[in-house]
Amino acid sequence: MIDTATTRTAPVRTATRREYLMCPPDHFDVVYAINPWMDPAMPVDRGRATRQWAELRDAYRGLGHVVHLAEPVPGLVDMVFAANCALVVDSLVYGARFRHPERAPEAVAYRSWFAAAGLTGNRDAEYVNEGEGDFAVLRDFVLAGTGFRTEPEAHGEAQEFLGRPVVSLHLTDPRFYHLDTALFVLDEENLAYYPPAFSPGSRAVLARLFPEALIATRADALALGLNSVSDGANVVVAAAATELIAQLAANGYRPIPVDLCELARAGGGAKCCTLEIRR
Ligand code: ARG
């Protein structure tokens, strides 16, 4: 008898060169708690965070991607999480408006980088939204999270500004407070996600839109395995997300494990540290 599970060959995946914006964790710290991962009583090893972050940056460069760096600002301890500062599509910058006052100045700091980079199609958001933390871009539409940070009204605002359909999803588990902690885009039309992070209706929407999606285990989701960055073929993924890594490999992707455990103390992983610039 032929075992189809083992003889099936995985499809060939194609990488495309990406442009990313990152911010070195020079001032990284945990001094307030705005998500359940953060405990200000636990000291942070900034040297270790910096080494882990540098490994991530070098992994992107090693894959041939362009990595730009934003200037870290003293006192903005979460500024390393560049994904939250905007959503950039078709050279249009939908700027963040942070939920918590502690992070609000980050939006201003990043705005000057966009201007210097020639991205002048800017919109200062009227509604609270945390950029790519809560928006995921696919070919035909954009997925948007709400429940903890981004307001649902921001989904409509982004759709109107970007001219791309936006599909709203409801996050229900505080551990998965941003969409990018519960879901990541593998390629133009497929993704990986953790269903229990979503409301029943949103789960049904995801199942309908993505019947081929990779489904992560709770352990891998808690290892921030879904806070991954894919270029269509190579997937930079938390090293501790072992089952997800095996699933990726079995589906023709090339997992690139990175350990960002020191940054995880603020509730962020690889994707949080990475904003994609789509020109
Ligand atoms: N401490 C930050 C916050 O709670 C972490 C942000 C992580 N970024 C992300 N894209 N999930 O806002």
Side-chain angles (χ1 to χ4, degrees), residues 34-35 38 78 81 84 103 133 149 177-178 180-181 266-267 272:
I34 56 173
N35 71 54
M38 302 175 87
D78 271 333
F81 300 117
N84 301 145
R103 296 198 66 187
R149 300 290 179 90
Y177 58 94
H178 271 146
D180 74 357
T181 61
C272 299

Side-chain angles (χ1 to χ4, degrees), residues 3-268:
D3 180 350
T4 48
T6 49
T7 54
R8 180 179 62 107
T9 48
V12 175
R13 308 293 178 182
T14 316
T16 52
R17 190 162 166 272
R18 308 293 170 122
E19 192 178 337
Y20 296 132
L21 176 61
M22 299 179 72
C23 179
D26 293 12
H27 310 289
F28 175 65
D29 208 343
V30 177
V31 294
Y32 48 77
I34 56 173
N35 71 54
W37 302 77
M38 302 175 87
D39 180 0
M42 294 282 289
V44 158
D45 183 342
R46 193 177 293 147
R48 189 168 185 230
T50 302
R51 287 191 296 279
Q52 293 179 338
W53 176 90
E55 221 172 281
L56 175 66
R57 176 203 57 203
D58 294 346
Y60 292 140
R61 289 187 171 155
L63 291 168
H65 302 313
V66 175
V67 179
H68 303 285
L69 299 179
E71 186 64 28
V73 176
L76 298 184
V77 294
D78 271 333
M79 198 175 163
V80 62
F81 300 117
N84 301 145
C85 73
L87 168 66
V88 185
V89 183
D90 305 323
S91 296
L92 295 171
V93 181
Y94 178 54
R97 189 180 182 103
F98 284 89
R99 158 100 28 206
H100 301 96
E102 293 90 334
R103 296 198 66 187
E106 293 180 42
V108 184
Y110 276 105
R111 214 173 286 151
S112 52
W113 187 88
F114 294 123
L119 294 162
T120 49
N122 251 279
R123 174 167 180 127
D124 293 336
E126 194 176 319
Y127 296 102
V128 169
N129 85 88
E130 298 199 346
E132 267 197 337
D134 272 323
F135 289 102
V137 178
L138 289 112
R139 191 185 48 218
D140 298 328
F141 50 85
V142 174
L143 297 176
T146 187
F148 297 99
R149 300 290 179 90
T150 298
E151 292 180 305
E153 291 84 355
H155 300 177
E157 186 177 32
Q159 170 170 288
E160 195 57 34
F161 175 57
L162 302 170
R164 295 210 181 192
V166 174
V167 177
S168 290
L169 299 170
H170 284 261
L171 295 160
T172 53
D173 180 336
R175 279 257 153 201
F176 306 107
Y177 58 94
H178 271 146
L179 183 66
D180 74 357
T181 61
L183 172 156
F184 76 96
V185 175
L186 284 164
D187 52 46
E188 295 264 79
E189 38 198 305
N190 202 14
L191 45 74
Y193 69 106
Y194 177 57
F198 296 92
S199 68
S202 296
R203 275 182 231 175
V205 167
L206 286 167
R208 177 176 288 268
L209 289 175
F210 305 100
E212 311 270 291
L214 302 190
I215 303 298
T217 62
R218 180 157 186 87
D220 285 350
L222 285 172
L224 287 172
L226 294 166
N227 199 247
S228 290
V229 179
S230 172
D231 64 13
N234 306 289
V235 182
V236 175
V237 52
T242 49
E243 278 186 62
L244 180 61
I245 287 172
Q247 272 176 282
L248 289 166
N251 282 276
Y253 297 97
R254 177 169 164 246
I256 317 253
V258 291
D259 181 9
L260 295 170
C261 61
E262 204 58 33
L263 291 158
R265 295 163 141 224

